[in-house]
Amino acid sequence: MTLTTDPVLKLTWQEIAHNVQQHRDATIAKVKPSIPDVPLELPRNVTSIPSELLSAREIELTETSPERLVTALAEGVLTSTELTNAFLRRAGLAQKLVNCITELLPERALSRAKEMDDYYAEHKKPAGPLHGLPISVKEHVGIKGLDLNAGFVSWVGRIAEDDANILKILWKAGCVFYARTTQPQTLMHLETSSNLYGVTVNPFNRELTSGGSSGGEGALLGLRGSCLGVGTDIGGSIRSPSANNGLYGFRPTSYRLPVGGYAATMLGEEQIIPVIGPLSTSLEGIKLFMKTLVAGKPWLMEPSVLPFPWKDHENQLQKADGRRLKIGVMWNDGIVEPHPPVRRALTEIVDKLKRVDGVEIVGWKPYKHDLAWEIIASLYFPDGASEESKAIGASGEPWRPLSNFIIGDNPFVKPLSVAEVWKWTQKREEYRTAYLQLWNDTATGVDANGELEGVVDVILCPVGPGAAPPINCSRYWGYTSQWNLLDYPAVVFPVTKVDPKVDVEDEGYVPMNEKDGYNHELCMCEKGV
């Protein structure tokens, strides 16, 4: 898409938004057969509608896991053209149901799919580990020749000069890019809401958020309009949509995957490093994504990426020394108590893990997570959010409610001097050191070499303080941003859904603080929220 925001034309922000939405609709209209119309009055839960409007074959293909699809493609029992067409149609339908697409790429995608099919026909083998697999991409991850606006109206018309580095590796592995997905204004919401495309909603309950900032990916995968997508994360932006839509998501450690070629403000900022990672309908999809990218040696295109392999060969339940996998369970973060459905999900998992040989369960006591938020919130916008404010103000578009929340109403956002940046960065390092000591203190002894034994291997905790919240209500970041500050890898997996018959609200609950009180009021278990 090439659109202009030339001030000579004096387009209003509303006109620009109208233009990008028209472009999106035009790309969907190019999909053949045409995308079916959806009911004028949609139910709250729209996850069953695709099965009513698409063919049985399309449903079969789009509801198959990515690892099974790549196997079928590699064996020649499935063509990329048929598969890509199925995902294009389901993605177009998803847009009509939850508003998750910025544009489809039918011509590019089908041309690429044919290329993969022709390669297989000639060579009788796949072109790579992702041969012919359709992958969706969050809009601000650049695709050469396409718009790269990152959710800002004033940035419409900026064109990616090249593919993002991560996409180059995925492309070389044989994948097909077919859909670009929505993101919020500023990219700093745990929801997905912009003045360009409006609000992306949750397919399981359209009154609730899909999460953010990779919420377009979350909603698209939740409706099985994609099986594997590319998201980004600086405070929960992969994990929040994954949890809200019943998906698997992975936030890698910084400098694990290449980030060059995405659009955002403050690109040179190094205090809190954003990462790129996958959302998938299966855990094996996450592994496939990571293994493929690491095997592509991304450190040869970005020197900051760390050159070490993907360790999928290690079995943590069968350790060579006979030691058990030690899991620390964090029931809450000491600031905001999770809602009953979240506590039930965690209890169910813990009860199952206790019955697994080779697993030890212990408690995990959070360490000053309120201080962690103060540090990370102070480092998110060291320029006082001047670049965000400039990008929003340039078009005259209004501030979205959650942009105001994370910037305008955030007491920690202010311009920092160089000395102040150093001070807060030092506080970050001191906090990371203190948390490391917390890990070391879980040791049960020291071996003959002086190394700690019995240290907790992994923390099991909620992704957030509740199920998907109502629109504009995702205002507590602590359960996800905590691990961005510490720069720990984090994987999200689905467990259950809200059950009004089982999940009863905590009557008489006395909130620990204002944030806890706000979160408590969001709980409406009887409505499945």
Side-chain angles (χ1 to χ4, degrees):
M1 173 179 64
T2 304
L3 294 171
T4 180
T5 55
D6 189 335
V8 174
L9 297 180
K10 297 182 179 178
L11 292 179
T12 66
W13 72 263
Q14 294 96 331
E15 290 170 328
I16 296 171
H18 176 72
N19 287 347
V20 298
Q21 291 171 32
Q22 278 195 318
H23 168 78
R24 175 201 60 205
D25 295 345
T27 66
I28 294 174
K30 291 179 180 179
V31 177
K32 302 299 178 186
S34 299
I35 309 299
D37 291 329
V38 301
L40 292 177
E41 295 294 330
L42 291 171
R44 287 200 304 176
N45 187 330
V46 295
T47 56
S48 65
I49 290 180
S51 63
E52 301 169 6
L53 299 177
L54 299 176
S55 72
R57 178 61 172 169
E58 288 169 332
I59 296 299
E60 176 191 1
L61 291 176
T62 53
E63 294 186 0
T64 299
S65 64
E67 68 274 13
R68 290 180 59 197
L69 289 174
V70 294
T71 297
L73 289 160
E75 293 175 350
V77 299
L78 173 64
T79 67
S80 180
T81 297
E82 182 186 19
L83 182 62
T84 300
N85 239 336
F87 273 112
L88 281 166
R89 280 175 49 75
R90 192 150 183 167
L93 184 58
Q95 165 55 31
K96 296 186 178 186
L97 297 173
V98 293
N99 190 35
C100 57
I101 297 293
T102 65
E103 62 181 324
L104 293 183
L105 309 171
E107 295 162 330
R108 286 185 177 218
L110 291 173
S111 174
R112 171 65 166 176
K114 183 179 183 301
E115 178 187 346
M116 291 296 98
D117 292 338
D118 290 346
Y119 181 94
Y120 192 93
E122 179 180 353
H123 299 281
K124 306 304 180 185
K125 66 177 183 178
L130 299 178
H131 175 94
L133 183 70
I135 291 180
S136 52
V137 183
K138 189 176 181 181
E139 190 275 348
H140 81 120
V141 180
I143 297 180
K144 184 177 180 178
L146 299 181
D147 206 61
L148 196 58
N149 58 62
F152 295 112
V153 175
S154 67
W155 285 16
V156 170
R158 295 188 177 191
I159 305 300
E161 296 181 358
D162 200 355
D163 291 332
N165 287 338
I166 194 168
L167 301 189
K168 291 179 180 179
I169 299 176
L170 294 173
W171 182 270
K172 187 177 180 180
C175 81
V176 176
F177 300 125
Y178 71 105
R180 306 182 76 204
T181 55
T182 52
Q183 67 228 332
Q185 181 189 61
T186 76
L187 297 171
M188 293 293 285
H189 301 189
L190 290 184
E191 299 188 17
T192 299
S193 167
S194 76
N195 292 313
L196 286 171
Y197 299 102
V199 178
T200 301
V201 297
N202 192 303
F204 296 92
N205 186 333
R206 298 180 74 257
E207 296 177 2
L208 308 179
T209 178
S210 64
S213 63
S214 307
E217 285 296 318
L220 181 63
L221 272 84
L223 271 172
R224 298 304 186 262
S226 174
C227 64
L228 186 60
V230 180
T232 57
D233 193 310
I234 196 172
S237 293
I238 288 172
R239 291 158 289 158
S240 157
S242 297
N244 288 3
N245 295 281
L247 306 168
Y248 296 84
F250 182 56
R251 177 217 179 266
T253 310
S254 61
Y255 305 118
R256 191 70 167 109
L257 295 181
V259 297
Y262 76 90
T265 56
M266 300 186 299
L267 285 180
E269 180 269 326
E270 294 185 309
Q271 276 58 53
I272 306 297
I273 303 297
V275 300
I276 288 181
L279 296 85
S280 180
T281 55
S282 74
L283 181 59
E284 290 302 316
I286 298 293
K287 295 178 182 179
L288 176 65
F289 183 96
M290 292 299 300
K291 186 175 182 179
T292 299
L293 284 162
V294 173
K297 299 182 179 181
W299 47 86
L300 297 181
M301 59 173 58
E302 281 188 33
S304 60
V305 177
L306 300 173
F308 59 92
W310 179 247
K311 302 176 183 178
D312 62 345
H313 59 282
E314 296 183 8
N315 189 333
Q316 296 298 322
L317 294 179
Q318 297 178 358
K319 296 179 180 294
D321 57 4
R323 184 170 56 86
R324 291 189 294 172
L325 177 69
K326 191 171 183 179
I327 301 176
V329 180
M330 190 183 85
W331 295 95
N332 65 55
D333 68 352
I335 303 169
V336 172
E337 178 70 16
H339 291 168
V342 177
R343 299 201 303 269
R344 175 173 62 83
L346 195 53
T347 299
E348 289 179 4
I349 290 296
V350 170
D351 288 346
K352 291 179 179 178
L353 286 169
K354 287 179 178 178
R355 299 193 293 270
V356 176
D357 291 336
V359 171
E360 178 185 0
I361 299 293
V362 298
W364 181 271
K365 185 177 180 180
Y367 174 76
K368 296 184 179 181
H369 283 213
D370 52 348
L371 173 61
W373 174 249
E374 181 181 353
I375 294 170
I376 197 169
S378 297
L379 289 173
Y380 270 144
F381 305 101
D383 66 341
S386 66
E387 288 199 14
E388 279 76 9
S389 299
K390 181 180 179 181
I392 293 172
S395 68
E397 65 170 302
W399 284 64
R400 306 295 289 194
L402 291 183
S403 298
N404 272 319
F405 162 74
I406 196 62
I407 294 176
D409 300 333
N410 187 342
F412 302 112
V413 175
K414 57 184 178 180
L416 301 180
S417 66
V418 172
E420 288 172 325
V421 170
W422 291 342
K423 181 192 76 171
W424 282 108
T425 303
Q426 183 62 32
K427 285 181 179 290
R428 181 198 69 188
E429 292 307 295
E430 291 170 354
Y431 185 83
R432 288 177 175 178
T433 301
Y435 223 86
L436 175 61
Q437 187 60 49
L438 193 66
W439 283 88
N440 292 339
D441 289 345
T442 66
T444 55
V446 180
D447 66 13
N449 297 320
E451 296 184 2
L452 297 176
E453 291 184 317
V455 177
V456 163
D457 294 293
V458 64
I459 299 171
L460 178 65
C461 66
V463 185
I471 305 300
N472 292 327
C473 293
S474 300
R475 296 169 184 256
Y476 187 69
W477 291 36
Y479 280 95
T480 49
S481 63
Q482 173 73 22
W483 315 117
N484 291 86
L485 179 68
L486 293 170
D487 200 14
Y488 290 175
V491 66
V492 170
F493 56 91
V495 178
T496 187
K497 299 177 183 178
V498 177
D499 185 346
K501 296 179 181 178
V502 178
D503 302 313
V504 181
E505 294 179 42
D506 299 317
E507 294 185 9
Y509 178 76
V510 179
M512 295 181 282
N513 50 62
E514 184 178 350
K515 292 179 178 178
D516 192 32
Y518 178 84
N519 182 67
H520 177 68
E521 292 299 317
L522 294 178
C523 184
M524 296 177 284
C525 293
E526 76 282 358
K527 294 183 179 179
V529 179

